[in-house]
Amino acid sequence: VSAATPRCTPETLELGELTVGTPKTVQLTVTNNGKSAITVESMKAGCGCTKISDAPKTPIAPGASFTGDVTGDPGKKGGIDLSKTMTVGFVGGQTETITIKGRVKAEGSL
């Protein structure tokens, strides 16, 4: 077992019901459950429709956490389910993959 054990919560980011053209932001927390500091090297979205806040500039101490914003843009098509991924990479090569889900309301529905 590695001394550095990062955990991203939630593992699935639920955007819930979205409206066409209206981005929605949820939060992702990266917690260090290990015995040594971890450093987030990158936070990358699987597509251009998802924006992620910058990774922390300093290492995350054991027991500490970092919370960042993840914003999903539902685009211009209604009546669809979204399922995207994002990856959090750590110095040392470890990665965590998070699923981002939401449902875009059909245009004209309330």
Side-chain angles (χ1 to χ4, degrees), residues 16-21 74-82 102-109:
E17 194 166 67
L18 301 160
T19 302
V20 170
K76 299 183 185 331
K77 228 187 230 184
I80 60 169
D81 290 324
L82 295 179
R103 174 145 185 70
V104 185
K105 290 189 289 191
E107 292 188 75
S109 66

Side-chain angles (χ1 to χ4, degrees), residues 39-56:
T39 301
V40 177
E41 191 169 48
S42 63
M43 295 174 67
K44 296 181 183 170
C47 68
C49 64
T50 304
K51 304 285 182 247
I52 302 168
S53 60
D54 291 334

Side-chain angles (χ1 to χ4, degrees), residues 81-95:
D81 290 324
L82 295 179
S83 184
K84 309 287 181 182
T85 59
M86 67 170 280
T87 304
V88 180
F90 300 90
V91 170
Q94 203 169 359
T95 61

Side-chain angles (χ1 to χ4, degrees), residues 24-38:
K24 187 171 187 180
T25 301
V26 292
Q27 292 190 319
L28 173 74
T29 300
V30 179
T31 303
N32 182 356
N33 291 326
K35 295 183 182 353
S36 61
I38 58 172

